[in-house]
Each structure stands twice: as structure tokens, then as C-alpha cells.
Amino acid sequence: MAAGNWWRGAVIYQVYPRSFSDSNGDGVGDLPGLLARLDHIASLGVDAIWISPFFTSPMADFGYDIADYRNVDPLFGTLEDFDRVLTKAHALGLKVMIDQVLSHCSSAHPWFQESRQSRDNPKADWFVWADAKPDGSPPNNWLSIFGGVAWTWEPRRGQYYLHNFLASQPDLNFHNPQVRAAQLDNVKFWLDRGVDGLRLDAINFCFHDAQLRDNPPKPAALRTGRGFSPDNPYAFQYHWYNNTRPETLGFLHELRALMDRYPDVGALGEISSEDSLATMAEYCAPGRLHMGYSFELLTEDASPAYIRATVEALEAKLGAGWPCWAISNHDVQRAVTRWGGVDADDALAKQLVALVCALRGSVCLYQGEELGLPEAEVPFEALQDPYGKTFWPNFKGRDGCRTPLPWDAGARAGFTTGTPWLPIPAAHRARSVAAQEQDPRSVLHAARAFLHWRRRQPALVEGGIRFLDAPPPLLAFVREHAGQRLLAVFNLSPAPVAWPVFAVGELLAVPGPEAGRLQDGTLHLPPRGVAFAVLE
């Protein structure tokens, strides 16, 4: 990583705190639990942690509905607990990123509680309020990504307010300069406290169309999206007017100007738009975000052609911008199951860590990827996610990727002494950290070995990327930096593959994934095999 740009090429480990480690037996993970387990994360060879929201919240959307941007919810601990996490992480050589949810807050936030009272209070214009149509219906046809109309009636004002997510997550009015200043001040609070970076949730949702124009309909054949399914009415529209507005770019410059006052911090924007790759490129232009990531590899399609086309499309648009890739997070089915099915084996889990960490850019690894955890089956009666409850059974929500991390094989998996907030399946307990530490062939040992090896390869951390034409199921590309040229080849299938190759020097002894071998000019890759070679 370049001096002063710690985030460039970094591997960032995502902690979903309520499912990481519980210190007090209430069944919900917390900051003292994270503090006690930081050594595990540091041992992996990652560069940073990103902690999902731990702020004061009614938890309607599990922390992404913030009622106080500057405090820790008692469920997770205290500000002092956060400071202890920050101090120990830094002592272990880990940078710390935190989520910032700027576009919306909780309906319990004092700002909204004041705004909803009348049309003439000091916070009256801090949220997106609009009059009903003459027939009493909502101001336009905008829809919530969590299902239903994006407008809720407030009788005290006699107006509707906008919520792109849950009705308890009202959208802030970023057209109001006081709102922008207040949110930048909240960001400053955490930068002053010493955080190294921000992960900006739904950053393209900050601004709405001031004219409140209707979104146009989307043809049935095009009703695909990232983070929502084709049967969600949200997929029935082009979202031209309720997000990704041009005014956002000005705010990104304001945010970057604030961040540039601090030494070596980075901002990672989460972007989900009609053309997420184009928006990423736009948002990561000079003077804006340091890097961006989208849902483009959080899809069902794991073919070499799709991965290549996605990365090449972004590379063609990005210019000087910097990408960040993820194949799992707290919002989508775990990658091992999504790309390998219910019977996926450890070879796939090992390969996926190597694959995402070999692409150009930074990487977000989601807790449990280092264990090869599959998606958990959560029965409806145990479901917590409001999104899943609304769309069950076609969409089972996000709880299957949010179940607690298994630390040992006990009934509560070493996660808690109480009843875990989501059930921990037996299949996960069998893959616990303790069990995998004892098995030198485990996914955990493979992931750790690969991540430590990657750190020493300048081409993988900072190099450019160029794809090669390889027959399916192979994905092949070259990474090059500072005189190091590496050929990376991945067999994305459960069957062995042989490929005649050219001008290849030695195969590198890469720890972790199932290794290929070179014989008489032919590369032999086992099922889910990987090869890295020095190019002559």
C-alpha cells in the first residue's frame, strides 16, 4: 500500500457486531465481545475492520436506523468500549472503518420528532415533506425498496414524508444546507475520535428530485436489480428521481474536503443505482470518494464471462478511481451457497477468498468467509429481518447470512452464554473457529495463509489488471506492478481442467487454495483450483 493511502489495496474485514461475539449473555454481539476477539481478525492478515452500525437505534433495521449519530447503543456497549476497540485495533496494526448512514435516520431521532410536529418549526425542512395530491394520494409513484409506497402520512403536518427504506427510516432533505452541515459535523465527530475510514451506506440516496417527478416504468424483461428481487414492486421502475441525483456530487466534494483535513483516512461508498458501475466511476473521480463498491459481484452469476465483463466494464469507466470488491456481506446470501449450491465444498470457499483478493482494488471480506460458512436456513418463526418477513417465502430476507459466528462447537457456539438472537445451525458449529484451528487443511488456515501471502505481492495489492481469453470454466488475468507480472488462473468448476499456456515461468507456491501444476506447457487445475505464475 502506498504511504498515506492505507486503504489502497487493503483487505477490509466486515464485522456485523450483533453476530460477532456477545460478552454479556444477552444473545446479541457487542463491542466488548469484538474487543475480546480482535486477535482472531488480526491473525488473518487483513488490513482493516469495518464495523456495521453500533449507534443508538430502535433497531427496526438493526442499526441502519440511527437515533443518535454520536453515541453507542446500550445493546452494543458504550463510547468508552468503542474507544477501547479502536485503541486495541490500532495496537494490532488494524485500521478501523465505521458505517455512516447519512441519507436517512430513525423516526425516533430528535430531528424527525421535531420536524413532524408542524410546518414552521426549526427542523421543518430537514426531511422530505410533500403535500398530498388533490385526491389524498401520495405526491408521486416512488416506492420503498423494502416494499410498498415510499411515502407515509403525518397527520400533525398534514403532509407525507419520504422513506426509501422502512417507514421508520425517514429521508433527510439534503437540499437543505443545514442538513448537509449537520451530517458533516457528525462525520467529524468520529474522525476526531480517531477512526481511519468511513463506509458510506446508500450514499447515492442522499438527494431526491426536488420536482418530485414520477419514476418511469421498467419493462418486465428488465426488472433485475441488486439488493431486491424481480417480484419486488421496486423493480418495476427506473429509479431516476428518488436517488443518484446530480446534486450528490457536490456533497461528495464537501465530504472529501472534510476528510482531507485528517491524515490518511479513506471513504468507501456503497452504491446501488440503475448503472452502479457508471455511478461508482462518477463518485470515485478526483476530489470525491476514495473508493466505491457496488452489488455487481453479489449476484447469482459466477461465470468467468460475467466476472470478467463486470470488472472490465468498471475498469473502462473508472479512470483514476479505485474499486473495492465484495462477494458477500450482511445483505445477500453467502457466496459459498450462492455460487456453489447447498453441497459446496471447502475447495470453493478457499478459492473464493483467493479470487476476490486477486482482483484489482481493495476487498471487503465478510465475517465467516474465512470459515467457508454456507447460508443458514432460518425458519420463519425465528426470522428477525423485516424485509424477509414482508417478502417470505419468495425472498427469505437477510437473516441467513447474519447468524452468529461460531467460535466453538458447543450448543451456543461460544458466541454467547444466553440465547442467540438468531439460531446457529449445526453445520456452522461444525465449522467453528476452534475446530478449524485444529485442522491444517481447513478453510481458516487456507484463508489466513493466502492473505499473508497476498500482502507480499505488489502486483496483487496495487497492480493493474488485464484479462486473457481463456476457455470456460477458466478465468485468467494478469496483474502487474513495480516490475512484477503475475498470471492468475482460476478453475471456476467442480471438475479438473487442463489449459495449454504460453510464456509462463515458474508457478508460484501459493498457500491456501487448491493448487494447479504445470507439465510440458500445460496447466493442470484441480476442481476449484488456482494457479499464480510469473510471466516471462
Side-chain angles (χ1 to χ4, degrees):
M1 287 168 285
N5 291 320
W6 71 260
W7 44 270
R8 197 174 174 91
V11 178
I12 304 160
Y13 182 95
Q14 182 193 351
V15 174
Y16 191 69
R18 63 186 301 121
S19 293
F20 194 69
S21 185
D22 170 27
S23 70
N24 62 3
D26 66 357
V28 176
D30 47 41
L31 292 177
L34 168 58
L35 181 73
R37 304 285 193 178
L38 276 174
D39 293 282
H40 166 75
I41 301 174
S43 79
L44 297 175
V46 301
D47 302 290
I49 57 173
W50 144 33
I51 312 174
S52 289
F54 49 83
F55 315 104
T56 307
S57 167
M59 300 294 160
D61 191 24
F62 300 106
Y64 283 91
D65 50 319
I66 297 174
D68 183 349
Y69 282 93
R70 301 190 188 196
N71 214 339
V72 174
D73 194 277
L75 192 67
F76 296 124
T78 65
L79 268 175
E80 291 69 32
D81 289 325
F82 175 77
D83 291 340
R84 282 189 277 272
V85 169
L86 193 64
T87 299
K88 183 174 179 181
H90 286 164
L92 290 169
L94 294 168
K95 302 292 187 181
V96 177
M97 304 183 79
I98 62 169
D99 250 305
Q100 292 287 273
V101 189
L102 303 181
S103 74
H104 56 273
C105 64
S106 168
S107 56
H109 196 292
W111 293 348
F112 187 73
Q113 289 298 313
E114 183 174 359
S115 186
R116 76 190 314 176
Q117 297 302 325
S118 68
R119 298 190 186 195
D120 56 4
N121 65 75
K123 298 286 189 294
D125 193 35
W126 279 46
F127 294 84
V128 184
W129 295 101
D131 292 331
K133 288 182 177 177
D135 63 359
S137 59
N140 60 26
N141 71 348
W142 297 353
L143 296 171
S144 160
I145 198 167
F146 287 168
V149 175
W151 297 95
T152 291
W153 181 252
E154 172 50 71
R156 279 162 281 203
R157 289 182 58 129
Q159 285 183 307
Y160 284 97
Y161 68 87
L162 176 67
H163 51 89
N164 278 296
F165 300 94
L166 295 175
S168 55
Q169 292 171 295
D171 275 68
L172 284 148
N173 177 20
F174 269 71
H175 292 284
N176 183 336
Q178 292 178 303
V179 169
R180 299 197 300 275
Q183 287 295 51
L184 289 173
D185 210 37
N186 284 330
V187 169
K188 184 177 184 299
F189 173 85
W190 293 103
L191 292 172
D192 287 342
R193 213 162 189 95
V195 302
D196 305 288
L198 312 172
R199 184 265 189 183
L200 300 161
D201 184 71
I203 189 63
N204 57 304
F205 280 80
C206 286
F207 283 85
H208 66 286
D209 176 48
Q211 299 175 52
L212 301 181
R213 286 171 283 190
D214 279 348
N215 281 326
K218 183 178 283 188
L222 300 179
R223 288 175 187 169
T224 57
R226 307 288 184 251
F228 53 90
S229 55
D231 63 345
N232 183 340
Y234 192 82
F236 293 23
Q237 297 179 354
Y238 288 103
H239 294 278
W240 292 351
Y241 296 117
N242 63 311
N243 64 54
T244 324
R245 302 300 300 154
E247 296 92 339
T248 306
L249 300 178
F251 176 68
L252 296 182
H253 281 283
E254 294 178 42
L255 177 63
R256 180 61 179 268
L258 168 64
M259 297 189 74
D260 283 348
R261 289 155 49 187
Y262 296 81
D264 201 16
V265 296
L268 169 62
E270 180 210 30
I271 293 156
S272 177
S273 67
E274 290 295 341
D275 185 344
S276 294
L277 297 178
T279 305
M280 277 176 70
E282 193 175 38
Y283 283 23
C284 295
R288 297 171 188 167
L289 301 180
H290 300 85
M291 50 184 172
Y293 95 97
S294 70
F295 286 55
E296 298 307 303
L297 292 184
L298 303 175
T299 57
E300 302 289 333
D301 194 342
S303 67
Y306 176 76
I307 295 171
R308 175 178 178 173
T310 300
V311 176
E312 286 187 330
L314 180 62
E315 290 289 324
K317 298 170 181 174
L318 200 54
W322 190 254
C324 184
W325 295 106
I327 56 172
S328 280
N329 69 15
H330 63 289
D331 282 334
V332 295
Q333 188 180 46
R334 285 191 175 272
V336 168
T337 303
R338 202 173 70 247
W339 284 1
V342 291
D343 297 319
D345 61 11
D346 284 355
L348 173 63
K350 295 172 184 178
Q351 182 188 62
L352 290 181
V353 172
L355 173 58
V356 72
C357 291
L359 299 175
R360 185 181 92 94
S362 303
V363 183
C364 286
L365 287 182
Y366 179 49
Q367 64 184 46
E369 280 188 89
E370 78 275 24
L371 304 176
L373 293 187
E375 182 79 354
E377 278 292 325
V378 180
F380 182 77
E381 58 272 17
L383 216 62
Q384 303 290 328
D385 184 12
Y387 198 2
K389 292 177 182 178
T390 299
F391 286 96
W392 183 278
N394 294 355
F395 171 65
K396 296 182 178 180
R398 301 165 294 179
D399 289 336
C401 65
R402 296 178 173 184
T403 55
L405 204 64
W407 295 96
D408 63 36
R412 299 179 182 91
F415 166 75
T416 182
T417 57
T419 302
W421 76 284
L422 281 172
I424 307 172
H428 283 201
R429 296 198 300 274
R431 291 175 165 275
S432 71
V433 173
Q436 295 201 33
E437 288 286 12
Q438 300 303 313
D439 178 6
R441 294 279 302 157
S442 70
V443 178
L444 174 58
H445 278 286
R448 185 182 285 143
F450 182 83
L451 290 169
H452 280 279
W453 177 82
R454 176 190 180 272
R455 275 184 157 172
R456 302 191 298 272
Q457 313 305 319
L460 294 184
V461 176
E462 291 211 65
I465 191 167
R466 175 173 56 87
F467 285 85
L468 303 179
D469 292 330
L474 297 181
L475 179 71
F477 49 84
V478 175
R479 301 290 312 278
E480 185 171 1
H481 182 73
Q484 184 187 40
R485 294 178 73 219
L486 292 184
L487 168 67
V489 185
F490 294 82
N491 171 16
L492 303 184
S493 83
V497 175
W499 186 37
V501 289
F502 58 93
V504 171
E506 59 173 327
L507 281 193
L508 295 176
V510 179
E514 304 301 318
R517 59 185 175 84
L518 191 61
Q519 183 177 356
D520 300 328
T522 297
L523 183 60
H524 297 269
L525 287 163
R528 306 293 182 186
V530 175
F532 285 87
V534 176
L535 281 181
E536 295 174 348

